[in-house]
Amino acid sequence: MTNRRWPPKLELPIHDRAAVARLRRFVLRITCAWGTPELAEQVTIRCSPRLKRSLGRAHFEREVVTLAPDLLLDQNRLEAVLCHELAHLAAHRLVGRSERPHGPTWQRLVETVGFTPHAQWPVADTPAGTSRPTFVR
């Protein structure tokens, strides 16, 4: 019997099992739609209060997505930002650094799973309870 974790690896302060399962299903669904199901098995998703000027960040070499903790308050925003960041990792797998970070492959991936590609969100769309600028890069 192998000791396999159910992908993706989540390092998030979510204690609701249903919310964790929903988030895992979301990641698996979009990575499969992109033709990169192995990404769901290899990515680590974590939160960091150190993100002050952005909602999320993708680290290509480590295959880590870091999210602002504020996102855990809004499921829709969490999924949109997670899609945005995972699309960066998937685009990097598909075309490397041959395109801009928000280039055509990234845009196509985001649209494929039903989201609007945003390089940045306006401050008016800041999650409830926050006053910091919210940008996704």
Side-chain angles (χ1 to χ4, degrees):
M1 183 178 202
T2 60
N3 223 359
R4 245 182 116 214
R5 64 179 170 85
W6 185 29
K9 183 177 180 188
L10 300 176
E11 297 176 359
L12 301 172
I14 301 175
H15 304 291
D16 176 5
R17 285 183 163 188
V20 169
R22 188 172 46 250
L23 191 56
R24 284 190 164 123
R25 283 192 305 271
F26 173 76
V27 172
L28 289 168
R29 180 179 60 82
I30 65 174
T31 57
C32 286
W34 295 336
T36 58
E38 70 284 353
L39 178 58
E41 296 177 8
Q42 296 165 354
V43 69
T44 298
I45 302 168
R46 61 176 52 134
C47 277
S48 174
R50 296 180 67 190
L51 285 180
K52 300 290 185 192
R53 297 187 50 85
S54 63
L55 293 173
R57 182 153 305 198
H59 304 277
F60 301 119
E61 298 79 23
R62 293 181 281 157
E63 294 197 314
V64 172
V65 170
T66 305
L67 302 171
D70 301 344
L71 291 172
L72 300 178
L73 303 173
D74 182 343
Q75 183 70 28
N76 292 332
R77 177 59 61 92
L78 172 63
E79 289 181 359
V81 173
L82 188 54
C83 173
H84 176 111
E85 300 305 336
L86 288 170
H88 282 302
L89 297 180
H92 186 261
R93 283 176 172 234
L94 296 171
V95 298
R97 295 186 184 262
S98 65
E99 294 181 5
R100 297 180 333 270
H102 297 110
T105 299
W106 176 85
Q107 291 177 21
R108 180 181 49 79
L109 292 171
V110 172
E111 289 172 342
T112 296
V113 292
F115 289 92
T116 303
H118 290 287
Q120 296 185 352
W121 270 283
V123 174
D125 290 342
T126 301
T130 66
S131 59
R132 62 184 174 80
T134 54
F135 301 106
V136 175
R137 295 192 168 114

